[in-house]
Amino acid sequence: MKFVADKPIGTEVWQSVLEAGRWAPSAFNEQPWRFVWASRQQPEQFNRVISLLSEYNQQWACDAQILMVVIASEKLARNGKPNPHAWYDTGMSVSQMVIQALSFGIQAHQMGGFDAEKARALLGIPEGYQPICVVAFGYPDALENVLPQFRERAVTVRSRKPLTEVFFQGNFGQAAD
Ligand SMILES: Cc1cc2nc3c(=O)[nH]c(=O)nc-3n(C[C@H](O)[C@H](O)[C@H](O)COP(=O)(O)O)c2cc1C
């Protein structure tokens, strides 16, 4: 959890990351995702997004190159009814950006630890649009530069539930043959 603070993300590379997010599939092709991003090259915008983050997240996210607020439009543009897939679709758009960024060696770190109501107020997010999380993008720094309080987390072996706990065959709870 440490970004190289003085290694900017090039414009073309960033554009390619955004394209990957733009091309995500969505229910009814509604494309309910919206994003407000801020670059550290523009400190006023950048610091505004930093101010939305929890104190914990501010400690490491302050070295990011780009901070992106992820927002979902919660109503279907086609009929004004609630869009039950809005968060799913928006997550998929983010996922595509995360993978595209990674292909350039850029790390993306998502954060639920932020103040959504403050985001609404500071970034002018209208009613009907829900801020969901913030993503920090940047090039990963060497372990020796990680702040002491994050070092243990940085060296902990990544883990996930076993396949058999989350993938079932045929029926819920049923292990594959
Ligand atoms: C929606 C979402 C919210 C998250 N919120 C935070 C956060 O506020 N702060 C943080 O340090 N990490 C946050 N994370 C990162 C997760 O803690 C991390 O992905 C998880 O612990 C697994 O670690 P790994 O991705 O390194 O394997 C978040 C991840 C997601 C997808």
Side-chain angles (χ1 to χ4, degrees):
M1 305 228 305
K2 174 76 176 76
F3 294 114
V4 182
D6 58 1
K7 188 173 176 189
I9 296 172
T11 308
E12 278 181 28
V13 165
W14 183 239
Q15 210 56 37
S16 166
V17 171
L18 300 188
E19 276 295 319
R22 186 170 81 91
W23 275 99
S26 59
F28 299 116
N29 201 17
E30 278 269 337
Q31 303 161 66
W33 46 77
R34 299 291 183 275
F35 304 99
V36 176
W37 63 271
S39 163
R40 73 181 298 112
Q41 315 289 330
Q42 283 149 317
E44 197 204 324
Q45 292 181 5
F46 189 81
N47 290 334
R48 204 180 312 150
V49 180
I50 286 283
S51 81
L52 306 175
L53 304 179
S54 68
E55 274 180 37
Y56 175 85
N57 287 331
Q58 284 186 8
Q59 293 175 73
W60 58 266
C62 60
D63 290 326
Q65 292 303 319
I66 290 172
L67 294 168
M68 178 185 264
V69 181
V70 177
I71 301 154
S73 169
E74 298 203 295
K75 291 199 172 135
L76 291 162
R78 59 211 302 271
N79 58 17
K81 291 187 175 161
N83 179 359
H85 306 293
W87 283 45
Y88 181 95
D89 294 343
T90 302
M92 190 132 54
S93 176
V94 173
S95 181
Q96 295 199 175
M97 284 190 271
V98 169
I99 294 166
Q100 185 75 353
L102 200 58
S103 77
F104 295 115
I106 296 166
Q107 203 166 0
H109 194 138
Q110 299 168 73
M111 292 169 273
F114 82 110
D115 187 332
E117 286 317 304
K118 192 172 172 187
R120 197 180 277 294
L122 287 191
L123 308 178
I125 300 168
E127 274 305 303
Y129 292 86
Q130 180 61 42
I132 297 174
C133 69
V134 181
V135 190
F137 293 89
Y139 292 95
D141 206 344
L143 188 59
E144 70 237 36
N145 296 328
V146 173
L147 288 171
Q149 63 267 39
F150 300 125
R151 217 159 270 166
E152 192 187 329
R153 185 172 173 185
V155 296
T156 302
V157 176
R158 299 177 69 218
S159 70
R160 293 294 186 268
K161 291 172 180 157
L163 283 178
T164 50
E165 203 176 310
V166 292
F167 292 95
F168 307 125
Q169 191 171 1
N171 280 304
F172 193 93
Q174 196 164 298
D177 293 334

